[in-house]
Amino acid sequence: SVEQGYRLILADGQCLEADLVLSAVGLRPNLSLAETAGASVGRGIQVDAQLQCSQPGIYALGDCIEIDGQLLPYLAPINRGIQALCKTLLGQPTAVSYPLMPVTVKTPAAPLCLLPPAVGVTGGWRCTATDDGLSAGFYDAEGALHGFVLLGRHAQQQRNAWLQSCQNAQRAVA
């Protein structure tokens, strides 16, 4: 018997005892139903701006979709999709639009905020150490900021200013 720690029973019946368990669960959708229905899939169910897949009348939403080559498995893009899809299903075709949505991981030991650059943007990363982490920005050849990684409490103070810079760069490209 394990007095402290964990007893793990694997799928094949093997038993392991451990002091600590670390689970890193990735997001990978089960695409078999969509494939069976004849929908186009890549890393997710491929949908258009109205969240319709390649099969007319079939829509997808959430962690399973791929839109413009990107997976958006977080709550903010899902909520934006819900708003657009409701209008579309009620007869008012509405394209989903996504603002820049940084992903924030609020772990006390190492808070992290990430905004990846858009697909197709060329440039490079510039990293700067901070007192408790790092700030990294993705800049194009003209010096415009298109993405960032902020790790640590000190770096988080830059979030709003860096997000505004990325929004300005996005508007300049559009």
Side-chain angles (χ1 to χ4, degrees), residues 16-144:
L16 301 173
E17 293 185 4
D19 295 325
L20 177 68
V21 175
L22 174 65
S23 175
V25 179
L27 296 172
R28 192 170 83 201
N30 181 342
L31 302 174
S32 60
L33 179 61
E35 289 174 312
T36 300
S40 296
V41 299
R43 295 181 304 148
I45 301 168
Q46 295 172 337
V47 297
D48 64 15
Q50 284 83 36
L51 302 173
Q52 184 170 230
C53 75
S54 60
Q55 294 293 337
I58 299 177
Y59 297 84
L61 177 70
D63 293 356
C64 65
I65 70 166
E66 178 181 332
I67 188 165
D68 294 328
Q70 290 191 303
L71 299 176
L72 301 170
Y74 303 103
L75 290 177
I78 292 170
N79 289 335
R80 298 289 293 223
I82 289 169
Q83 294 169 3
L85 185 56
C86 285
K87 291 177 183 175
T88 296
L89 295 176
L90 291 172
Q92 182 183 6
T94 304
V96 65
S97 68
Y98 299 110
L100 293 180
M101 298 174 285
V103 175
T104 302
V105 180
K106 299 174 184 174
T107 54
L112 173 76
C113 186
L114 163 70
L115 179 68
V119 174
V121 173
T122 58
W125 289 96
R126 293 185 215 154
C127 301
T128 304
T130 64
D131 291 342
D132 63 347
L134 76 97
S135 299
F138 187 86
Y139 295 89
D140 66 17
E142 288 78 38

Side-chain angles (χ1 to χ4, degrees), residues 2 5-11 13-18 20-22:
V2 178
Y6 303 91
R7 174 174 289 132
L8 308 171
I9 302 173
L10 306 181
Q14 183 181 0
C15 184
L16 301 173
E17 293 185 4
L20 177 68
V21 175
L22 174 65

